[in-house]
Amino acid sequence: QVPLVESGGGSVEAGGSLRLSCAASSEASRYIWAGNYCLAWFRQALGEREGVAATFVGGNPYYADSVKGRFTISQDKSENVLYLEMNVMKPEDSGMYRCAAFIPGARGNYQCAPYVSGAVQILSGYWGQGTQVTVTS
């Protein structure tokens, strides 16, 4: 059973909006909604991975500077779904978007941001296979 499955990608014109969904399997949901997991969105383009946004129970959401004010991460625990609302999209937002769930450790001071920003490597966790987003100018 695939732990995380993304959907909602597609092609949109610059300035448009998309909402991505990340559905967790029943098995993964037993763990990732327990409160000690970071739930995050990453995107990969031209071989580089960028952390986009993350949420953590009891903490403030994290956003990469490139998406602040335009993207919103949210979750629906009753439906076992993580969302990423993307507005005022730009061509540089194009890429393969993947969701992830992982437990932040001591190396990241038990915070999501160091892992999502790339300062600390994510050694283990749940990952989806991705959904492609293309923004045309």
Side-chain angles (χ1 to χ4, degrees):
Q1 195 178 28
V2 179
L4 301 173
V5 179
E6 302 90 341
S7 61
S11 182
V12 63
E13 292 185 353
S17 300
L18 281 175
R19 188 176 79 158
L20 304 183
S21 300
C22 172
S25 68
S26 56
E27 178 65 23
S29 294
R30 293 173 56 191
Y31 304 101
I32 67 175
W33 305 110
N36 58 341
Y37 272 78
C38 289
L39 305 176
W41 286 96
F42 293 81
R43 65 188 179 193
Q44 186 154 357
L46 300 177
E48 292 193 5
R49 188 175 75 187
E50 176 188 16
V52 175
T55 183
F56 187 54
V57 174
N60 294 322
Y62 164 89
Y63 295 98
D65 288 341
S66 58
V67 306
K68 279 181 181 177
R70 301 187 298 119
F71 289 13
T72 302
I73 188 171
S74 62
Q75 55 183 292
D76 185 338
K77 293 181 181 180
S78 65
E79 297 293 332
N80 296 334
V81 180
L82 177 72
Y83 297 103
L84 183 67
E85 183 77 33
M86 304 185 292
N87 298 310
V88 195
M89 297 186 71
K90 305 175 182 179
E92 51 263 43
D93 292 325
S94 298
M96 179 67 73
Y97 282 70
R98 300 177 69 190
C99 59
F102 57 92
I103 298 176
R107 293 179 299 115
N109 198 29
Y110 306 101
Q111 301 295 316
C112 297
Y115 295 89
V116 183
S117 69
V120 180
Q121 185 180 6
I122 300 171
L123 297 179
S124 64
Y126 296 100
W127 289 87
Q129 295 187 340
T131 184
Q132 181 67 38
V133 171
T134 302
V135 184
T136 59
S137 57

